[in-house]
Amino acid sequence: MLYLGAGGSKVSSATRDGGMDVVSAQFVAEVKHHSSPVPPSLVRQIFGVAAAEKKRALFFSLSGYSTAAVEFATQTGIALFVYDFSRGTLNAKSPAATQALKNGLGSLANPQS
């Protein structure tokens, strides 16, 4: 998130994080380092957390997303990213993520209400 311009980003505590792993003034993010694609239920969960916090939802995954997860993120404006530590890459998997990679997180619309 810092790389994309979300200053003040902090990793939340490992326990009782409320469904968010990283938080900043405008964004909440979930990070999954799993071997299988992220299902829509987890993307919906971070969307709900973001709405409650009046922030934008971001999701970072090692193994990508199910088709349904990408569809939900596209409909709701969630930025989905896939990261690869060994290559040092971050790839967009939703329109909001494409915009953020091109123009920074500040280019995304105002927080959800």
Side-chain angles (χ1 to χ4, degrees):
M1 287 173 53
L2 289 172
Y3 171 77
L4 296 171
S9 297
K10 296 179 184 175
V11 176
S12 63
S13 61
T15 58
R16 300 181 189 186
D17 63 11
M20 56 187 161
D21 294 323
V22 185
V23 64
S24 74
Q26 296 178 323
F27 302 97
V28 294
E30 184 73 14
V31 181
K32 291 296 180 200
H33 195 73
H34 295 172
S35 59
S36 59
V38 171
S41 60
L42 294 179
V43 177
R44 290 176 191 276
Q45 179 181 345
I46 194 63
F47 178 76
V49 170
E53 298 285 326
K54 298 192 183 327
K55 298 181 181 189
R56 289 294 303 254
L58 310 174
F59 210 116
F60 297 86
S61 170
L62 175 68
S63 298
Y65 304 88
S66 70
T67 300
V70 173
E71 289 172 357
F72 180 77
T74 299
Q75 293 170 354
T76 56
I78 299 170
L80 300 180
F81 300 96
V82 173
Y83 62 88
D84 185 328
F85 284 125
S86 64
R87 293 188 177 129
T89 59
L90 186 63
N91 294 300
K93 295 300 176 185
S94 69
T98 299
Q99 181 178 341
L101 285 179
K102 183 177 179 182
N103 302 312
L105 287 174
S107 68
L108 297 179
N110 291 330
Q112 302 158 1
S113 52

